[in-house]
Amino acid sequence: MDSSAAEASTPNERKDDAAPSTSTKTARGGDGPKSKKASLKRKAGETKNAKTKRPKKARVFRPAQLGYTVHQGEDMLLVMASSTSQYDGSVWRPQKKGGKKKKLAKGNHRWGESLPEEVLVNIFQMVVVQDGAVPFLCRVGRVCRLWNTAASSPVLWRKVTVGHCWIAPGKTQLPKTEKKIQETFDWLAQNRFSQLRDFSLCHWKKNNDFAVEVVSQFCPHLRSLTLSYCTGLTASAFQSLGLHSRALQSLNLQYSEVDGLLEYLENHGSQIKQIWFTHGLKNDRLLSTLTRGCCPELDLLEINPKLDSKDCELPICIQALQAACPKLKTFRMLNVRPLHKTMRNGADSTSGFPLLEELCIATTSYSYMSDKNLLDILYGSTKLRVLDLRGCSRITPSGLAALPCPELECLFWGQYFSSHTALSSQKRGLHMVTQKWSQTLKELDIANQLFVEEDLEIAMSYLAQATEADTLRSLNLSGTRITSPALRAVVGRLTSLNYLNLSSCRYLPRGVKRLYRGQEDIHQLLDKLE
């Protein structure tokens, strides 16, 4: 019994012994975690109450920012004055706290939206002068409203050049593309070209008449029209110019084929002052029209040949042109050999070109220009400043010295790319030219002129004696027989000389025969010559 009682008591004792442990686990496992969760909830509630009970900060009312405008004063100075802003929202304002931040696109900065409109116009003006108005202004006008307003300023659209904006050269235009071109051009003329002064159309094969007619109708201030490498122009375009463009003064038709120009000049040539055209079968009749006196106010006339042209001979009656265009100031015939004709009535004496300031008869091939022909052109031209005779190998120093031009500033007399240069005999008399214009010459070019060494030395001495004027800035002696003593005399005395070409001068030592730019570079040459 004892053993059974002992055995019976043993499990009870074990239960009694196990009970406290079970109650302890329940207290730790049940009551313990519940108390922790309650404490966490209590702390979280206290935090929320603390946030809600925290006093709000008083709002700071900032005064409204004053607007300002910028206008251009003296010496290109931008003056900023306090006034109402021209563009609503152009001034940057700090974003309110708690608001959603707008994501800025890559490359977009707020400084462009905060600049005054006048400053943007000045910045755009610098780009327009360098790169042109189209397509730059069309692209920046799509950035934002402020940039669109600045790009729409009429000041920026006074000079416009339109080239291959829609289609590559040589490709045909689809009807849809042609309609888009006309709609876009019409919109630009009505909304941007109100102050247009100079307009250029380049490499257009179609829509030329449409473009010229639209510009003439919506641009009353048009003064200059350039049509370069354009074909298909008809008389309707020039009729529109005659009806609407009363202020037109300049026509540049180089490398373009046009119809109706002669009729336009006969009716409205009195307002034209400048003409550029290309030598050709159709355009040569223009010169005959000018000699009949349709453009009495003409002051600039330039004739160029086609790039692939070989025969560039142009018959011209100088006396008739002098009588028809007495106000001519600039007369250029580049790579065109004039064939002089006499007037039918036999009148040789005219007043010449009394206002002529520049004459260019330069050519890269053989020229028929003689001393007598040159004197016939420059008869009475006492105001001549620039004389370009490059390639005119028949002109002599005595013929130049006989010209009635006392204040010549630029003389270009070099021989370039001429097969007759190497076959020419030795020349003399250059000193007559330098002696006549030593006080006024600013640029002198006698490249590849085979004057003897003694004559070159005397000619350079006359240039060096002009110490009071000292106006010579450019001297081209390439391919001549200049020697070191003659060169030392002129380089040591001329302090304003900035350009000196001594390439291919065989009578100079090695290391010296090259191009010199700047006074410092020329002074180093003087040290080598000594």
Side-chain angles (χ1 to χ4, degrees):
M1 181 176 179
D2 296 336
S3 60
S4 60
E7 290 177 1
S9 63
T10 301
N12 295 333
E13 291 177 358
R14 290 177 180 175
K15 289 180 182 180
D16 297 335
D17 294 339
S21 63
T22 305
S23 63
T24 305
K25 285 181 181 180
T26 304
R28 291 179 182 178
D31 298 339
K34 287 182 180 179
S35 60
K36 285 186 177 181
K37 288 181 181 180
S39 62
L40 290 175
K41 289 181 180 180
R42 193 180 302 111
K43 290 181 179 180
E46 292 175 0
T47 306
K48 289 182 180 180
N49 295 333
K51 285 186 178 180
T52 55
K53 292 180 180 180
R54 183 177 297 176
K56 295 184 179 180
K57 293 183 179 180
R59 294 184 179 179
V60 179
F61 294 93
R62 299 180 180 179
Q65 297 183 3
L66 295 176
Y68 53 88
T69 58
V70 182
H71 61 90
Q72 189 170 345
E74 298 180 356
D75 298 331
M76 301 298 291
L77 184 65
L78 294 178
V79 181
M80 301 183 67
S82 175
S83 63
T84 305
S85 176
Q86 295 185 359
Y87 180 77
D88 188 17
S90 62
V91 181
W92 180 83
R93 292 179 175 84
Q95 191 175 9
K96 295 181 178 179
K97 292 184 178 180
K100 295 183 179 179
K101 295 182 179 180
K102 296 182 180 179
K103 294 183 179 180
L104 295 177
K106 189 175 182 181
N108 187 14
H109 303 283
R110 292 190 179 277
W111 65 267
E113 301 177 0
S114 61
L115 282 176
E117 182 182 329
E118 294 82 356
V119 175
L120 274 177
V121 171
N122 280 271
I123 295 175
F124 292 167
Q125 180 68 36
M126 298 177 186
V127 183
V128 167
V129 171
Q130 183 177 357
D131 298 334
V134 177
F136 169 73
L137 294 179
C138 300
R139 293 173 178 174
V140 299
R142 302 177 64 182
V143 174
C144 62
R145 287 188 299 166
L146 174 60
W147 284 41
N148 188 16
T149 304
S152 304
S153 176
V155 181
L156 303 176
W157 295 89
R158 291 182 177 179
K159 184 177 181 180
V160 176
T161 300
V162 180
H164 301 299
C165 293
W166 290 277
I167 189 169
K171 293 186 177 181
T172 57
Q173 294 179 2
L174 299 175
K176 184 177 180 181
T177 304
E178 187 173 355
K179 182 180 179 181
K180 182 179 180 181
I181 291 174
Q182 294 181 0
E183 292 177 352
T184 304
F185 203 89
D186 185 69
W187 185 90
L188 286 174
Q190 297 186 35
N191 297 275
R192 295 292 185 268
F193 293 172
S194 61
Q195 299 294 326
L196 185 65
R197 302 290 195 274
D198 305 328
F199 178 71
S200 301
L201 201 64
C202 305
H203 298 275
W204 274 42
K205 307 302 180 184
K206 291 186 177 181
N207 302 313
N208 294 298
D209 287 346
F210 176 82
V212 174
E213 291 174 5
V214 169
V215 168
S216 62
Q217 292 176 9
F218 295 98
C219 306
H221 305 287
L222 185 67
R223 297 181 306 179
S224 174
L225 176 63
T226 300
L227 302 173
S228 180
Y229 295 96
C230 294
T231 58
L233 280 161
T234 62
S236 62
F238 289 98
Q239 290 176 1
S240 180
L241 287 173
L243 291 175
H244 305 285
S245 300
R246 299 296 184 181
L248 186 63
Q249 300 179 358
S250 176
L251 282 174
N252 191 340
L253 309 174
Q254 289 179 325
Y255 311 108
S256 296
E257 298 179 3
V258 298
D259 292 327
L261 176 62
L262 301 182
E263 184 179 355
Y264 170 79
L265 291 179
E266 290 175 356
N267 298 327
H268 306 280
S270 58
Q271 69 185 45
I272 301 300
K273 295 183 178 181
Q274 299 177 350
I275 294 179
W276 291 262
F277 72 96
T278 303
H279 174 273
L281 295 177
K282 293 183 178 180
N283 295 335
D284 287 349
R285 291 180 296 177
L286 174 60
L287 194 58
S288 302
T289 305
L290 294 177
T291 55
R292 291 197 294 266
C294 63
C295 299
E297 301 295 327
L298 194 68
D299 60 17
L300 185 148
L301 177 60
E302 181 173 330
I303 308 171
N304 294 329
K306 295 182 179 179
L307 298 179
D308 56 350
S309 177
K310 295 182 180 179
D311 188 11
C312 301
E313 296 181 355
L314 177 62
I316 180 174
C317 184
I318 293 297
Q319 288 80 11
L321 187 62
Q322 290 172 343
C325 305
K327 297 183 179 181
L328 197 65
K329 295 181 179 180
T330 303
F331 186 23
R332 303 190 189 110
M333 289 183 288
L334 303 175
N335 280 322
V336 176
R337 294 194 298 269
L339 298 178
H340 295 268
K341 299 190 305 182
T342 58
M343 297 183 68
R344 293 182 179 180
N345 55 9
D348 293 335
S349 60
T350 59
S351 59
F353 296 117
L355 303 179
L356 193 65
E357 297 179 358
E358 178 182 349
L359 175 63
C360 177
I361 319 178
T363 178
T364 57
S365 59
Y366 187 70
S367 175
Y368 300 116
M369 183 65 59
S370 62
D371 291 343
K372 183 181 182 305
N373 300 142
L374 184 62
L375 185 59
D376 291 341
I377 298 175
L378 296 178
Y379 177 80
S381 302
T382 57
K383 298 183 179 181
L384 192 70
R385 297 292 184 271
V386 180
L387 181 58
D388 192 348
L389 300 174
R390 287 174 292 180
C392 299
S393 57
R394 288 189 175 187
I395 302 296
T396 62
S398 59
L400 291 176
L403 296 177
C405 315
E407 298 181 357
L408 191 68
E409 297 179 357
C410 302
L411 175 59
F412 305 100
W413 196 20
Q415 305 296 317
Y416 296 95
F417 308 104
S418 177
S419 59
H420 300 270
T421 302
L423 302 177
S424 301
S425 59
Q426 295 182 356
K427 296 182 179 181
R428 295 180 182 273
L430 181 62
H431 63 278
M432 293 187 294
V433 177
T434 56
Q435 182 181 9
K436 180 181 179 62
W437 294 306
S438 60
Q439 302 294 331
T440 59
L441 274 179
K442 295 181 179 180
E443 298 185 29
L444 178 60
D445 179 8
I446 55 172
N448 300 317
Q449 290 281 9
L450 301 180
F451 290 100
V452 296
E453 300 91 313
E454 295 80 5
D455 192 68
L456 281 170
E457 187 172 355
I458 298 173
M460 295 298 107
S461 65
Y462 280 113
L463 292 177
Q465 290 175 4
T467 54
E468 296 182 358
D470 195 14
T471 57
L472 191 65
R473 301 173 184 175
S474 175
L475 181 60
N476 191 348
L477 301 173
S478 175
T480 61
R481 299 180 179 180
I482 191 72
T483 59
S484 297
L487 187 61
R488 189 185 305 114
V490 67
V491 172
R493 300 294 295 273
L494 299 178
T495 58
S496 300
L497 195 63
N498 290 318
Y499 177 90
L500 180 61
N501 193 346
L502 300 177
S503 58
S504 303
C505 294
R506 295 177 294 174
Y507 288 75
L508 293 178
R510 293 182 178 179
V512 176
K513 297 176 285 186
R514 64 178 184 88
L515 180 64
Y516 297 85
R517 296 182 183 273
Q519 296 183 3
E520 183 178 355
D521 196 13
I522 295 176
H523 286 316
Q524 293 179 0
L525 166 66
L526 187 60
D527 297 337
K528 294 180 181 179
L529 294 177
E530 294 178 354

